[in-house]
Amino acid sequence: MGRGKIEIKLIENPTNRQVTYSKRRNGIFKKAHELSVLCDAKVSLIMFSKNNKMHEYISPGLTTKRIIDQYQKTLGDIDLWRSHYEKMLENLKKLKEINNKLRRQIRHRLGEGLDMDDLSFQQLRKLEEDMVSSIGKIRERKFHVIKTRTDTCRKKVRSLEQMNGNLLLELEKCVIHPQFVLHDEGDPESAVALANGASNLYAFCQHHTHVNLPPHHHHVHGEDDLRLA
């Protein structure tokens, strides 16, 4: 049976419409490719779906710009780029105006430029108020940076003090009092050297404990404490 004719009108069902679009788009792209290969034709197809999704086919070895340039050259009296060029010029003009305005503001804030003479008293007063406000914001930011750095340094100092205190406490626990050094009867010289080293270590620990530790960390070993140890 032959295929029935389809009435050419908008397909109401969105799903069927999308399926039909995809099938026919692929079909027309296939025909364009065959035409380009068989006849050495320059073919360009640009399609936009209902959702503004673009699909494009261009003959191998060509670009869309080259096709458009050739189209414009063939017609002669059509300039497809003029509107785009005019928009670019208009945008450039606006950017130049903004740039000139910013430059004037910079010169005013520096107190330079011949156009300072054209400012009225109210404009000069407004400029002065703006500068005072800007200086206040800069000063506030500067103090914030200083405070942040100061707080960081204080935290580092407290951490180092805590580490120092812990190390001194560990050193104090490791000290051996000279009167408790056991002498090796077989080697008197080694025993004397060990006693002298222990005495020096004990004196060093006691000195740093009294100098660096807070009052609640001071503790002097009496004779009773040593005997109990």
Side-chain angles (χ1 to χ4, degrees), residues 165-178:
N166 294 336
L167 291 174
L168 289 175
L169 289 175
E170 293 295 330
L171 182 61
E172 185 181 14
K173 294 178 182 179
C174 296
V175 168
I176 304 175
H177 198 280

Side-chain angles (χ1 to χ4, degrees), residues 197-214:
S199 178
N200 293 335
L201 183 60
Y202 179 79
F204 173 79
C205 180
Q206 291 298 318
H207 171 72
H208 281 272
T209 301
H210 287 283
V211 172
N212 296 325
L213 286 181

Side-chain angles (χ1 to χ4, degrees), residues 91-105:
N91 187 38
L92 179 61
K93 182 179 179 181
K94 292 180 180 179
L95 292 177
K96 285 184 176 180
E97 292 177 355
I98 294 175
N99 182 58
N100 293 333
K101 182 178 179 181
L102 292 175
R103 289 180 178 273
R104 285 196 302 270
Q105 292 179 355

Side-chain angles (χ1 to χ4, degrees), residues 3-34:
R3 297 177 60 182
K5 293 183 179 181
I6 300 178
E7 184 180 1
I8 303 301
K9 67 175 184 179
L10 177 65
I11 300 175
E12 299 295 337
N13 188 288
T15 303
N16 295 339
R17 186 191 309 152
Q18 181 61 36
V19 171
T20 302
Y21 175 80
S22 298
K23 288 182 178 180
R24 299 213 172 195
R25 179 196 66 213
N26 295 335
I28 195 172
F29 280 175
K30 181 179 179 181
K31 293 295 182 182
H33 177 69
E34 292 175 354

Side-chain angles (χ1 to χ4, degrees), residues 127-160:
L127 178 61
E128 181 183 13
E129 292 176 353
D130 292 341
M131 294 181 67
V132 171
S133 176
S134 299
I135 292 174
K137 293 178 180 179
I138 294 173
R139 185 180 293 111
E140 182 181 355
R141 177 58 184 172
K142 181 186 68 174
F143 290 154
H144 174 73
V145 172
I146 293 175
K147 182 178 181 302
T148 301
R149 293 183 178 179
T150 303
D151 293 341
T152 301
C153 291
R154 287 176 177 173
K155 290 179 180 179
K156 290 182 178 179
V157 170
R158 286 196 296 267
S159 177
L160 292 174

Side-chain angles (χ1 to χ4, degrees), residues 14 84 88 107 145 153 184 194 205 207:
H84 182 64
M88 291 179 62
R107 291 195 299 268
V145 172
C153 291
D184 188 350
L194 181 60
C205 180
H207 171 72

